Every structure is written in C-alpha cells, then in structure tokens.
Amino acid sequence: MAQSAKTRTAETGTTTAANVSTAYVAVGPELTQYAVDGTTISPVPGSMVSVPAPIQYVWQHPGKPIAYVASSDRFAAKPADLHHLSAFAMAPGSGKLSLIGAPRLLTSRPINISTDRDGRFLLVAYNDPASLTVHPIAADGSVGEAIKQDGKLDAGIYAHQVRMLPSNRTVLLVTRGNDPAGGKPEDPGALKLFSFNQGKLAEKQSVAPGSGYGFGPRHADFHPTRPWFYVTMERENQLQMFTLGAEDRIGPAPAFVKTTLAEPGKVRPGQVVGAIHVSRDGRFVYVSNRADGKTELDGRKVFVGGENSIAVFAIDPKTGEPTLIQAVDTRSYHVRTFAIDPSGKTLLAASVAPMDVASGGTVSTVPAKLTAFAIGADGKLSFTAERAVDTAKGPMFWCGFTPLT
C-alpha cells in the first residue's frame, strides 16, 4: 500500500481514511491481501480467496472496484477443464474480495489479461497455442463469452502479454518466440498490432526486427504522455524503446536498445528479463532481471549464479532514451512479478519459489520472498522490508497494488 500517516492494521484488517491502496499476492490458486507499510509486509487476516487453478495474472477494471483473475493448471491432462477467468468485487475501503458469478471456462492457458481503456472488454492472451480472445464485460462486472472474430488471427509464437494502446483503438500482442532447444530451431518473436472496434479485431501490423530472430519480447509498458513504449526482451536481457506514429503504427526497429544487466558479460544459464513498469510521471522505467539456473552439487541442484535484481532506468524527457542508473538486488531468486503502488513511493517484488544456494561448502534454502523498496525522488530504490512466503501450494506468479478509494 502507499506510505501514509495511518495504515492498514494487520491484526484486524481494518482500514483508515488515510489508507489509499493495498497489495494482493498470488500463490498457486490463492490470492491474498497484504499490508505493505515501512518495514513490514503483513497478510491481512481473512483476506485470502481461491480460484480453480494456479493464478497466472490479475487485472483491475479501470473504472470499477473489480479484479479479474486468470488461472490455469497448465500441466493438466485435461486442459479444457482447468483454465478459467474469475471476477471479484473489491469492497470499498477494505479491498476484501468476493466472487462475482462463477468462473468462466477457457480452452487453454490464459497467460495474460487486461481490459480496454473504458472497461467494456476483457482481453486474454494465450501462449500455447498463441491466440487472443475478447470478452464483453457486463454492467455487474461479469465476463461474457468470447466474441467471435472474422477469420483466424495471426497471433505469432508464444504470446505473453496483451495491452490496449493509449488510443483505445489498437491492441498490442507481445509474442516472445522460443529459444532453440533439444534440436529444435529458434522460434521468432514479434510485436503484433490489431485494430479494435467494439470487440472485433483485425490484423494491422507485425514488427519483428531481423525477421524476429534474436528478438524475444515479453512485456511492454507505455509512457504516460509521449508516443513511446518500452519492451523487455526476455531472451536477450535487453530493454528496447519503440515509437508510436500516426494511426498507432510502430516504428520498424527500436529507437534504443539497452542491456538490463549490471554485468552483461557474465550471463549464466537461466538468466532472463521479466516484468516492466514505467513510472506514472514518465521519468523512470523499472525492469526485473531473474535468474534461476541450477547446477549439480553433492546430489542437489543449486543456484548456478546470475543477477536477480530490479533495474532502474532514467528516461530522457526529449528523446525517450533509457539509461541504467541502478540495479538493486531483490534478495531472492527469479522475480517474475513486481508492482509499484499508486503513490509511486513503494515497489514490491515477488520471487517465484525457493532456491537452494551453495556458500562456503554448505547448501541453504532461500525461501520465496516478497521484498519492498522505497522509491526516491531520483527514481532509485532503497530496501525497506522482506517477508518469506510459503509456496507449497504453487508458485508466486503475480503481485499488484490497487487503490482502495
């Protein structure tokens, strides 16, 4: 939650008028509310809700206190039974969640969701096979059946994120592709644009520098006032900046390409880029570096090394060029997700799972963690708190802040 003179009381879960936001954390199929205040990170008693399968992503309605949850058991033998969309009402002032209707069944893993800018439609991205659906949102916040599209859409290879452009007329589908593995060649990545009209999609543009080879985009975020957007390159450990031109067209190549690593010459197996968030004032962009490669040691799999950090970039206000100004250790392993509270003063990072780490001839287990940082006026991060999280019920795949007012 945002820093304030009065905060949520962890023991009672009550909220004061000064408290303006709360955090939610997804572990397996459970979504739990947390109070993040100064040097403490505390679950709110009685706040946990469950969905039918492990949570993949969560998105809040832009104008109503409603949260949408995508869940999937992607390793199930019967995938049609284990992929869902759920809608939850958030109680004003407390953020307590209550299910709206029944979860809606989907046919494959919903890896990412978002809404249009008006909150009339829910967009769903699927990674395997890569696809995209649009669902109407009813007045009560419930999600309808997917709108039938006119013909098959080219959704690329391994879609990983779907976002509406600021104009609310164009949808961006970020498709990662895949590294070569097991004798299989590399699958190219791309940025796919679709025109959007009352829930109907039409192919508009595909941007894939180098025909998409060596181009593995994962997530994107938009500058709040300029025609710029920033993309994390998962497979290349890069941050790339693209421009948006007339009619929501993307420039054919990135305007800037920057490494996200403090030591780009020491990349280890399992080193990839994760989530991205541009600050609300457009001055900074934050990116998670995540490493979880392992090696054998005395019969145990232990961390092979690498960077687990939040990289902080300053944005040039004239050109949009990002410059790395800090890479702060997350004190955990494989931070897949992080969030910035609405005040812009707190960043919360979440690691996926525990990690066995060798040091001085001994092996210890570092638990999955939530780590909080204060965000300074210069955009840089300072550690404030951490909390171990039990991930026995599944990985910690998502965290986020939401306003309570």
Side-chain angles (χ1 to χ4, degrees):
M1 67 173 60
Q3 302 297 309
S4 57
K6 296 183 179 180
T7 58
R8 173 177 302 281
T9 302
E11 290 75 19
T12 64
T14 58
T15 303
T16 71
N19 189 26
V20 295
S21 70
T22 190
Y24 296 94
V25 177
V27 175
E30 298 179 348
L31 189 62
T32 302
Q33 196 174 346
Y34 276 78
V36 183
D37 175 35
T39 59
T40 62
I41 303 172
S42 306
V44 176
S47 67
M48 188 273 290
V49 295
S50 295
V51 293
I55 293 169
Q56 306 297 297
Y57 208 76
V58 181
W59 190 269
Q60 186 181 346
H61 191 286
K64 298 179 180 180
I66 298 171
Y68 297 99
V69 179
S71 58
S72 168
D73 187 339
R74 55 180 169 169
F75 302 115
K78 297 179 180 179
D81 296 332
L82 295 162
H83 310 295
H84 301 83
L85 290 174
S86 303
F88 288 88
M90 295 183 290
S94 73
K96 186 174 181 179
L97 301 174
S98 56
L99 187 65
I100 300 173
R104 177 166 294 281
L105 281 170
L106 301 173
T107 58
S108 61
R109 179 194 181 193
I111 194 169
N112 191 263
I113 58 175
S114 59
T115 65
D116 71 321
R117 301 274 167 162
D118 296 330
R120 297 177 56 207
F121 300 95
L122 185 71
L123 313 172
V124 184
Y126 308 83
N127 65 304
D128 187 19
S131 60
L132 170 65
T133 56
V134 182
H135 301 254
I137 295 175
D140 66 354
S142 60
V143 180
E145 290 279 1
I147 295 170
K148 184 174 177 56
Q149 302 296 324
D150 299 327
K152 183 175 175 58
L153 299 170
D154 177 6
I157 299 171
Y158 208 103
H160 212 297
Q161 186 198 36
V162 60
R163 290 287 302 273
M164 182 68 73
L165 265 61
S167 69
N168 209 40
R169 296 190 299 268
T170 304
V171 171
L172 170 67
L173 185 67
V174 181
T175 67
R176 189 197 68 184
N178 293 295
D179 280 329
K184 183 181 178 182
E186 177 185 358
D187 291 322
L191 301 173
K192 302 282 188 180
L193 289 185
F194 302 89
S195 62
F196 182 83
N197 183 16
Q198 299 299 313
K200 287 295 189 101
L201 300 166
E203 293 175 14
K204 180 172 184 173
Q205 185 186 15
S206 179
V207 173
S211 298
Y213 295 98
F215 184 75
R218 178 184 175 89
H219 276 195
D221 201 11
F222 302 100
H223 193 278
T225 60
R226 302 297 297 273
W228 307 327
F229 70 100
Y230 297 83
V231 185
T232 52
M233 295 290 143
E234 176 178 313
R235 301 186 285 131
E236 295 77 30
N237 296 295
Q238 292 176 349
L239 174 66
Q240 297 190 6
M241 190 274 266
F242 286 83
T243 58
L244 280 171
E247 299 181 357
D248 283 346
R249 295 277 177 174
I250 302 175
F256 299 101
V257 177
K258 300 297 180 78
T259 180
T260 63
L261 301 174
E263 297 183 303
K266 296 182 179 180
V267 176
R268 310 270 181 90
Q271 182 76 64
V272 289
V273 175
I276 180 172
H277 294 288
V278 177
S279 64
R280 289 198 170 194
D281 60 11
R283 296 173 58 215
F284 307 99
V285 57
Y286 298 85
V287 173
S288 63
N289 291 306
R290 55 203 177 104
D292 65 355
K294 297 177 183 178
T295 188
E296 188 86 17
L297 179 67
D298 297 332
R300 294 177 68 174
K301 297 288 188 180
V302 300
F303 184 54
V304 75
E307 295 185 36
N308 284 284
S309 65
I310 303 296
V312 184
F313 292 82
I315 296 175
D316 186 296
K318 294 182 179 179
T319 65
E321 179 179 7
T323 298
L324 183 65
I325 59 173
Q326 186 188 30
V328 60
D329 188 353
T330 60
R331 305 183 180 215
S332 60
Y333 297 86
H334 194 114
V335 169
R336 186 180 191 272
T337 177
F338 71 95
I340 299 173
D341 84 306
S343 74
K345 295 180 179 179
T346 301
L347 184 148
L348 183 68
S351 61
V352 169
M355 177 68 73
D356 285 344
V357 181
S359 177
T362 63
V363 176
S364 59
T365 299
V366 177
K369 292 181 184 180
L370 291 170
T371 313
F373 299 89
I375 303 175
D378 59 358
K380 292 184 178 181
L381 304 176
S382 338
F383 169 79
T384 58
E386 65 179 28
R387 184 184 183 93
V389 176
D390 183 358
T391 55
K393 293 184 178 180
M396 187 156 52
F397 250 36
W398 181 88
C399 72
F401 285 96
T402 188
L404 289 176
T405 55

